[in-house]
Amino acid sequence: MQEFVASTVRIEDPFWSGRLDTNARRAIFHQWQQLEASGCIDNFRLLSGEKDGFREGWFFADSDAFKWLEAAACIYASQPDPRLAGLMDELIGLLEAAQTADGYLFTYNQLHFPGQRWVNLQIEHELYCHGHLIEAGVAHHSATGSRRLLEIAIKAADLLVHDFLTSGPENTCGHEEIELALLRLHQVTGNESYLELARQFLERRGRIPGYPLHLYRQFKQHEGRSAQVRQLRQAYAAEHPAYSQSRLPPGNAAKKARFSTLRWYLNALSGKYMQQHAPVRRQTAPVGHSVRFGYLETAAAMLQRLIPDPSLLCALERAWERMVTRRMYVTGGLGSLSFNEGFGRDYELDPELAYAETCAALASLFWNWQMALTTRQAKYSDLFEWQLYNAAAVGMGLTGESYLYNNPLAARGGISRKAWYAVPCCPSNLSRTWASLGKYIYSQDGNEIWVHQYIGSQAAFDIGQPLRLQVLSGLPWQEEVTIRVEPEAPAEFTLHLRLPSWCAASSPASLSINGQAQPLPAPLAPKQPAASGYDPRLAQFIPLRRLWSAGDTLQLHFPMPILTRRAHPRLKGHAGKAALTRGPLVYCLENLDNPGVDIFSAQVEPASLRAEFAPELLGGILALRGQTDSGQAITAIPYALWGNRGESQMTVWVNIER
């Protein structure tokens, strides 16, 4: 199934266009300023000899610059900007000067430990950083046609092939990313060695002999290297009295579960934290760090598309099913524990403990897209949509200059959007995803076309003749979607449209073509109850094969009743509670909109709820209005928009019965 280059899809959408514009005009430049302020960009200047100083930031700080570069390239592809082009060229010039002749580029080692390479793959993210460098090279080449950054990426990848092809299982990265980067580079270059190395990296996971001892040694070695860096810093400061270390901002507040320290050690030493506990085909449950898990599954799904393997696909499907039914929040958020930034046990989904890192939602988007392309099943596109509007969108504030790292479903204080973080992986990850949104809307296989997302857009297709589709969408506020079909001449082809899972059986969707009503399949029956009350498995694609002519128009009506979604009985603390949703949006109560109401104890009257446009709220939204059983007025806003007005209290799960 063919993917589309994001820049070839023109997005014109009442909901998304403004957000994408904010991403391109404000967020990407704000992020550059923060990378400069934190010393991340200066690290490359130090290495290239342009500046004197001491390296700043985490050992994996390079990856933040590389992700910014990928995001900038993706934005530039659709919205060329000379200022952005100048910043990209500046950074690419630094990378050219900093990269070694054989392709190595990792400022932590090059500045602190010259001559040392690949000594701590489980902890220090060397391969992870090279992976983001490679992805940036692929994106920049696609956006500009220039090979400058692509050549840097190719040199890095060739070094990895030289050093790691046919090596042992201990040579896998503790944070997956390099695997999917190599697969993307293979798709651009056709170089089979990149495909083979990615395959080997995936196949080696879970095969390190004596993994607990191996990891313990890696941790002790990392501690020793960190101590050396501190000594180097002290010596530099003594010789340079004017030196002042860059201070990274603190992370978000995160409530900890009981026995977190003990559980961390068990999680790490078992291999689950880094998905090193079992070979990839036996990893049929989501475990450990949720971003790592998502990147692993994305790479495995990409590999399965390139080299079909029923056993690998079966493992992917089983892991996805386990995640959706037992280990995912109603927002689509992933990761219920802060100590491992990842998954807990089945049905361990406490709203207030939820970590639900923004990057985890993005990793899941990438995975679901690959699964949708592989299987052509609507459930993956449906979860993509749900996470896009909720678990992912919550990560960026309306200004584009404030972010959330972890995303609980209940907050009693202490959590607020910040301009930057000690670990700033989420901002640029969001920006590169928003800038690539066009590629996730359509796919094609010959004369079959799939509409995965109802985002207002236009796209051109080749079905043996030119074809243009235009989607006019009112989602997520309005219930109507119009699709206009414009083949150059009458042509027979199949258009696959997704019936979302959130269309209630009591209010089914309707479809007409040129004003004539069309039959739609009955809604799917619920399967094994999902933990959160949201079940993407209820979505389905409907194939429409006919002779299409220019001007044919489809009208889709997706009713959006307000639903009170109940959690699975095995979720502790959810009895008598419900999550309020409408269409693809999860809503929440924020105390700023509900003065005098205890949002955590108030009893909401479901029958009183109505959707009402609120132009005064958050730039204009469709809010849910209602009242409590004592007659107090309440207002619910989309979960993705909470926290945009300063620190506040919030809850997704509300009491609906005593």
Side-chain angles (χ1 to χ4, degrees), residues 16-37:
W16 281 105
S17 290
R19 286 162 173 77
L20 299 185
D21 191 63
T22 296
N23 187 44
R25 297 183 184 277
R26 298 189 65 178
I28 196 69
F29 295 108
H30 169 80
Q31 291 166 22
W32 176 266
Q33 292 168 359
Q34 295 295 325
L35 290 170
E36 286 278 32

Side-chain angles (χ1 to χ4, degrees), residues 438-611:
K439 85 178 214 181
Y440 300 113
I441 299 175
Y442 308 98
S443 65
Q444 179 183 1
D445 186 1
N447 66 348
E448 295 188 75
I449 296 169
W450 283 259
V451 180
H452 296 269
Q453 304 302 328
Y454 296 110
I455 293 173
S457 55
Q458 295 186 45
F461 303 81
D462 182 0
I463 55 169
Q465 63 163 296
L467 164 69
R468 180 168 294 278
L469 285 185
Q470 181 182 22
V471 173
L472 304 171
S473 176
L475 267 59
W477 311 126
Q478 308 296 327
E479 300 176 337
E480 308 297 330
V481 174
T482 300
I483 301 177
R484 294 175 180 164
V485 184
E486 298 286 346
E488 188 175 70
E492 185 176 358
F493 62 90
T494 303
L495 193 59
H496 298 263
L497 303 180
R498 179 173 56 88
L499 291 182
S501 68
W502 43 261
C503 284
S506 58
S507 306
S510 62
L511 167 68
S512 67
I513 301 178
N514 299 330
Q516 298 294 312
Q518 304 293 313
L520 291 178
L524 296 177
K527 300 183 180 182
Q528 172 194 358
S532 67
Y534 159 68
D535 193 345
R537 298 170 300 172
L538 302 181
Q540 52 186 315
F541 277 121
I542 53 169
L544 302 171
R545 186 169 187 86
R546 55 178 280 154
L547 183 67
W548 299 91
S549 299
D552 283 347
T553 302
L554 300 88
Q555 294 283 350
L556 286 155
H557 177 68
F558 296 129
M560 295 184 183
I562 299 169
L563 301 180
T564 51
R565 296 183 184 268
R566 302 288 195 114
H568 193 284
R570 290 183 62 180
L571 264 67
K572 294 180 180 179
H574 287 68
K577 297 179 182 290
L580 307 178
T581 69
R582 181 182 181 274
L585 295 180
V586 176
Y587 280 74
C588 67
L589 297 182
E590 194 170 10
N591 69 315
L592 301 177
D593 304 307
N594 298 279
V597 177
D598 184 341
I599 60 174
F600 300 104
S601 63
Q603 300 289 322
V604 175
E605 291 287 347
S608 72
L609 294 170
R610 64 193 184 280

Side-chain angles (χ1 to χ4, degrees), residues 19 34 64 66 92 186 199 202 225 238 248 274 285 304 312 321 335 426-427 438 444 472 493 504 539-540 546 619 658:
R19 286 162 173 77
Q34 295 295 325
D64 299 315
F66 301 152
I92 292 170
H186 160 72
R199 187 192 69 80
L202 286 167
R225 282 159 59 85
L248 291 171
M274 298 175 185
Q304 205 285 142
L312 185 56
E321 186 89 3
C426 298
Q444 179 183 1
L472 304 171
F493 62 90
Q540 52 186 315
R546 55 178 280 154
R658 294 192 183 279

Side-chain angles (χ1 to χ4, degrees), residues 30 34 38 58 64 247-253 358 395 402-407 415-427:
H30 169 80
Q34 295 295 325
S38 64
W58 288 88
D64 299 315
R247 297 292 181 184
L248 291 171
N252 242 355
T358 301
S402 63
Y403 305 90
L404 287 172
Y405 186 98
N406 53 300
N407 298 285
I415 296 175
S416 61
R417 297 182 182 272
K418 294 181 174 64
W420 209 238
Y421 287 93
V423 179
C425 55
C426 298

Side-chain angles (χ1 to χ4, degrees), residues 288-299:
H289 190 276
S290 50
V291 183
R292 288 169 161 90
F293 168 80
Y295 286 171
L296 172 65
E297 300 300 281
T298 300

Side-chain angles (χ1 to χ4, degrees), residues 291-363:
V291 183
R292 288 169 161 90
F293 168 80
Y295 286 171
L296 172 65
E297 300 300 281
T298 300
M302 292 174 70
L303 181 66
Q304 205 285 142
R305 284 185 61 210
L306 294 166
I307 308 175
D309 181 342
S311 65
L312 185 56
L313 179 59
C314 179
L316 288 163
E317 291 176 324
R318 290 178 64 188
W320 187 90
E321 186 89 3
R322 184 74 167 269
M323 180 182 77
V324 167
T325 58
R326 304 184 189 184
R327 298 188 179 186
M328 185 178 78
Y329 286 96
V330 71
T331 58
L334 302 175
S336 55
L337 300 167
S338 62
F339 69 79
N340 66 346
E341 297 185 311
F343 296 100
R345 297 180 287 264
D346 285 350
Y347 304 107
E348 187 178 12
L349 294 168
D350 186 301
E352 202 166 351
L353 293 178
Y355 202 74
E357 184 181 337
T358 301
C359 282
L362 299 174

